[in-house]
Amino acid sequence: MANLIIPDKTRHSYIVGIDYGHGETSAAICAIEWDKDAGQRETNVLDIDLDMAARKKVITSAICHVSKGGILIGDEAFEHMTDNNGIRICFKQKPHSIDGDAERLMIDYMKAVYHRIRESQEVLTDTNHIVYIARPSGWTDEDAKEMYRQMAIQAGIPLGGLTSESRAAIFYAKSPSVGFTKEISKGAIVFDLGSSTLDFTYLSDTDKPIDYGYNLGASIIDNAILENIILKNEDVCDFLDKYPCYRDALKFKARKFKEDAYSRNEDSKTVGGFTLENIIAENESSYNDYADTYVKLRITNLSELNSIVNSSTHYMDELKEALIDFKINRIPGKKINGVFLTGGASRMNFIRPLIAETLEIDKDNVKIDSDNPSLTISRGIALLGATDAITSVLVSELKSELPSLINNDSMLAKLRVEL
């Protein structure tokens, strides 16, 4: 077992929760209110600026090792595409070897994000906080979880533990700021749509949590835009055939177009574009041949985009099949009083009506964090971590006091009288 940080009320004042997502990353901080009773704790959670210059709470999970040394993450990685040793997005995967290429890349990314957090939060010192991070709900293998812990520790993170993304979402959904407690108590689903996977968790007061995941992450839509809009340009297609190392850079452009489109009104058109000059290194032999190539991105409305996506990937159809499978085969006979959506991709316009129709519930009972669903997991981790820290210390204190209570003649006398 990894050498996790043990909560200490004399040292630790803060919990940091980090959601290293496949597509995007966020973090939050929560004070540990050691001296307050449960009913008096405010448990305020604050989002952390991971891009301080742009005041952005959520950054793209992207990393770039620049040729002159150093690591760039988030959108900054794509500002130096002409001076780099490789840009990577969507690189998070279930760990298999601590020394594997993908694992080392993830460790570098973990370290860089944690460094950003320390820069952003001057209140944090080397010893006054504990970090909790999320793992995909589908990572149930103990070896994989242990390796992920070790990766975080190698990244220099003072790790207190892991929690599944779905548990973090549930914990946040039950917080007063969201108010989804009633639905969960009677039976509800947390619908977590990430970049790589779609995870469901069913929870009620009378059932143990039931988790199940599907390989239906929103990156499928990014790929559909790349293949069916960006690569419709023959020059771009020819360029990528010759230089496949730029695929992630083009996929990033596809994701940005997707985010722009789904942030608009359903009937609004979305128009954008870029030149390949933005992504080709100037010392590449291809620079003069492709630098001026312009990629036009345009859809008339969201209905057109949804049609492109579903006709090429059957994404909406498979999403509906996943909902039916979970309802019939994973939670047969269970009552569904509501669905709580988390993950930035859950804002796409077809998600809520599709869920409501398939599960036969009112659309108003399909709820989403109106603030920012991309922050749900990191907020939940921070809150859950603070609760875990307080609980572990209370249990430790109780265990240390039990022998004296058992051997206390006065206490035993009172118990005998009450009996």
Side-chain angles (χ1 to χ4, degrees):
M1 174 65 74
N3 296 319
L4 302 178
I5 301 296
I6 299 174
D8 184 343
K9 66 192 303 183
T10 65
R11 296 173 52 218
H12 302 128
S13 301
Y14 302 98
I15 295 294
V16 173
I18 308 177
D19 178 20
Y20 290 106
H22 186 258
E24 55 188 19
T25 296
S26 63
I29 184 171
C30 182
I32 309 174
E33 300 170 291
W34 294 113
D35 299 328
K36 293 184 179 180
D37 294 333
Q40 297 177 327
R41 296 189 187 109
E42 297 179 6
T43 55
N44 290 325
V45 61
L46 300 175
D47 305 313
I48 295 175
D49 285 334
L50 292 183
D51 185 338
M52 291 178 286
R55 300 299 301 272
K56 291 176 65 175
K57 315 293 184 186
V58 183
I59 62 172
T60 301
S61 294
I63 184 170
C64 170
H65 291 80
V66 294
S67 56
K68 295 180 180 180
I71 295 173
L72 299 173
I73 59 174
D75 287 1
E76 290 181 13
F78 295 89
E79 294 172 4
H80 294 261
M81 284 189 284
T82 58
D83 179 27
N84 70 83
N85 290 330
I87 299 165
R88 294 292 305 279
I89 62 173
C90 300
F91 49 84
K92 180 181 176 181
Q93 65 179 36
K94 186 177 179 180
H96 298 286
S97 169
I98 198 73
D99 295 318
D101 291 342
E103 288 80 3
R104 300 309 305 177
L105 188 67
M106 189 66 194
I107 291 171
D108 285 347
Y109 183 69
M110 287 176 159
K111 184 185 299 183
V113 169
Y114 180 59
H115 180 69
R116 283 277 184 92
I117 291 170
R118 292 294 303 273
E119 284 185 326
S120 174
Q121 299 296 307
E122 295 181 356
V123 69
L124 298 179
T125 68
D126 290 342
T127 59
N128 73 347
H129 64 286
I130 307 174
V131 176
Y132 288 78
I133 63 178
R135 61 166 177 81
S137 301
W139 290 8
T140 57
D141 183 287
E142 289 301 324
D143 290 339
K145 289 191 283 187
E146 175 60 17
M147 193 171 296
Y148 200 52
R149 294 186 191 99
Q150 294 290 353
M151 289 166 61
I153 291 172
Q154 282 199 22
I157 294 172
L159 187 67
L162 304 180
T163 186
S164 71
E165 293 169 357
S166 60
R167 296 296 189 277
I170 289 168
F171 201 80
Y172 182 66
K174 296 177 72 172
S175 67
S177 61
V178 178
F180 200 64
T181 304
K182 183 179 178 181
E183 288 86 349
I184 289 177
S185 66
K186 294 182 178 180
I189 293 173
V190 172
F191 178 103
D192 182 11
L193 181 55
S195 178
S196 61
T197 61
L198 168 63
D199 295 313
F200 296 146
T201 297
Y202 180 84
L203 193 71
S204 75
D205 285 349
T206 57
D207 294 284
K208 292 181 179 180
I210 301 172
D211 296 318
Y212 200 76
Y214 301 84
N215 293 320
L216 287 172
S219 61
I220 293 174
I221 297 177
D222 302 342
N223 286 326
I225 293 172
L226 174 62
E227 297 291 340
N228 296 279
I229 298 180
I230 293 178
L231 294 183
K232 288 297 183 182
N233 184 314
E234 293 183 3
D235 289 336
V236 179
C237 194
D238 181 58
F239 165 74
L240 192 57
D241 284 342
K242 292 180 179 178
Y243 303 96
C245 61
Y246 286 105
R247 187 175 187 85
D248 273 4
L250 291 173
K251 189 175 179 180
F252 175 75
K253 295 293 187 182
R255 180 194 297 178
K256 286 298 184 183
F257 181 74
K258 176 194 71 177
E259 292 172 352
D260 185 21
Y262 283 113
S263 68
R264 297 171 181 268
N265 183 280
E266 292 186 4
D267 297 322
S268 298
K269 66 180 178 181
T270 305
V271 179
F274 60 93
T275 60
L276 293 184
E277 180 183 20
N278 294 350
I279 69 172
I280 305 174
E282 293 181 7
N283 59 357
E284 285 272 17
S285 60
S286 63
Y287 184 83
N288 291 331
D289 294 331
Y290 294 102
D292 293 333
T293 300
Y294 182 77
V295 183
K296 184 178 181 180
L297 302 172
R298 185 183 187 280
I299 56 166
T300 305
N301 50 42
L302 285 181
S303 178
E304 179 184 349
L305 179 57
N306 290 340
S307 178
I308 291 172
V309 171
N310 203 44
S311 61
S312 61
T313 68
H314 305 290
Y315 185 76
M316 290 74 167
D317 297 334
E318 291 189 14
L319 189 62
K320 187 171 184 178
E321 290 176 7
L323 285 162
I324 294 172
D325 176 73
F326 187 73
K327 178 181 179 180
I328 295 177
N329 298 320
R330 312 299 168 184
I331 55 169
K334 304 293 185 185
K335 179 112 176 128
I336 302 173
N337 288 276
V339 177
F340 182 71
L341 307 181
T342 182
S346 62
R347 286 176 288 199
M348 293 186 293
N349 75 313
F350 61 85
I351 297 292
R352 289 184 68 219
L354 188 149
I355 292 173
E357 177 187 354
T358 305
L359 298 182
E360 300 179 326
I361 60 176
D362 193 284
K363 187 178 176 181
D364 290 339
N365 289 336
V366 182
K367 298 184 179 180
I368 188 171
D369 186 355
S370 57
D371 181 16
N372 190 340
S374 295
L375 299 168
T376 298
I377 303 298
S378 55
R379 290 171 177 174
I381 301 165
L383 292 171
L384 196 56
T387 300
D388 177 73
I390 292 170
T391 301
S392 65
V393 168
L394 288 175
V395 169
S396 179
E397 290 176 345
L398 181 59
K399 286 181 178 179
S400 66
E401 293 176 4
L402 275 176
S404 62
L405 292 174
I406 293 173
N407 296 320
N408 188 314
D409 292 337
S410 175
M411 179 66 72
L412 289 174
K414 289 180 180 179
L415 288 173
R416 293 190 189 100
V417 171
E418 290 177 0
L419 290 173

